[in-house]
Amino acid sequence: MKHRFLSEGIAHEVEVAGQGKTLTLMVDGEHDSVEVISDRPGELVFRLGGLTLAFDYALDAEGGWMCREGRIFRFDRPRPELRRVREFAGPGEEIQRSPMPALVVALEVAEGQDVDGGKTLLVIEAMKMETRVSAPPGSWRVVKVFVSAGQQVGRDQELVELAPRAESGTGATAPEVGGGDDR
């Protein structure tokens, strides 16, 4: 079975083959063997390359979500209309989107605030499970917050817009896409 798997804004093609507790996993053309340890509803535990990985998951008609250590991964069954891999608000800016329909239970940032990668931006809740939406790796400034606590959001709805921030004390600014050095 083939899936499209979205991780940190990058789409990967994933194919799972086999039956039972031993499966073959092909991610972007690379093969690996997977041993399924537990596949109870809502939980998946497997061994891959000597590592034991545990995920909570939820399925829907289009694919599903997996959550591990506060990080959310979306997987879709491939569809021709899902050609978009990543959307940008502008040069270097990034929009954090809701990975699933959910309720915003906590907003932990404000517009103009500086955040580092991994910082929780907000917390959403779906199916009685709280999920933290975090800043991607790097140094960011919160440009726009599109939601508020208590608000229902849909899948792929814009939550927070981020822009790269200058390194403190260096006077350097984030590079422009396609730009060069003006010295």
Side-chain angles (χ1 to χ4, degrees):
M1 179 180 298
K2 289 185 179 183
H3 293 278
R4 181 181 151 271
F5 186 81
L6 189 63
S7 175
E8 296 187 7
I10 301 170
H12 302 277
E13 292 296 322
V14 178
E15 185 172 356
V16 179
Q19 293 181 347
K21 296 289 183 183
T22 303
L23 304 172
T24 300
L25 182 68
M26 183 166 57
V27 179
D28 297 332
E30 298 287 325
H31 291 273
D32 214 334
S33 180
V34 174
E35 176 190 357
V36 178
I37 298 169
S38 171
D39 60 351
R40 296 185 306 206
E43 176 187 80
L44 176 62
V45 181
F46 58 91
R47 189 169 291 120
L48 172 67
L51 296 173
T52 300
L53 304 170
F55 290 87
D56 294 316
Y57 72 88
L59 302 175
D60 64 19
E62 297 173 357
W65 298 270
M66 296 176 75
C67 178
R68 179 169 189 265
E69 297 176 354
R71 296 182 64 203
I72 301 169
F73 305 93
R74 171 74 188 162
F75 60 94
D76 294 320
R77 290 181 178 86
R79 298 188 325 234
E81 65 270 21
L82 290 176
R83 299 259 184 238
R84 176 181 51 86
V85 174
R86 190 171 187 156
E87 281 189 35
F88 290 95
E93 295 179 351
E94 182 163 324
I95 300 279
Q96 296 300 99
R97 298 176 179 274
S98 180
M100 65 187 94
L103 175 70
V104 178
V105 294
L107 190 58
E108 299 192 9
V109 295
E111 291 179 11
Q113 181 178 343
D114 289 341
V115 296
D116 291 322
K119 160 80 171 141
T120 298
L121 304 172
L122 54 96
V123 180
I124 58 175
E125 179 184 295
M127 300 173 292
K128 297 185 180 183
M129 183 173 79
E130 285 191 353
T131 303
R132 297 181 180 285
V133 176
S134 302
S139 296
W140 302 93
R141 173 157 291 138
V142 178
V143 174
K144 178 90 174 139
V145 177
F146 297 101
V147 296
S148 58
Q151 181 178 339
Q152 285 289 144
V153 296
R155 176 176 169 234
D156 209 32
Q157 183 173 334
E158 295 177 340
L159 302 172
V160 178
E161 181 179 345
L162 302 171
R165 77 169 186 248
E167 295 297 322
S168 61
T170 65
T173 58
E176 293 184 56
V177 173
D181 192 353
D182 291 335
R183 284 188 255 186

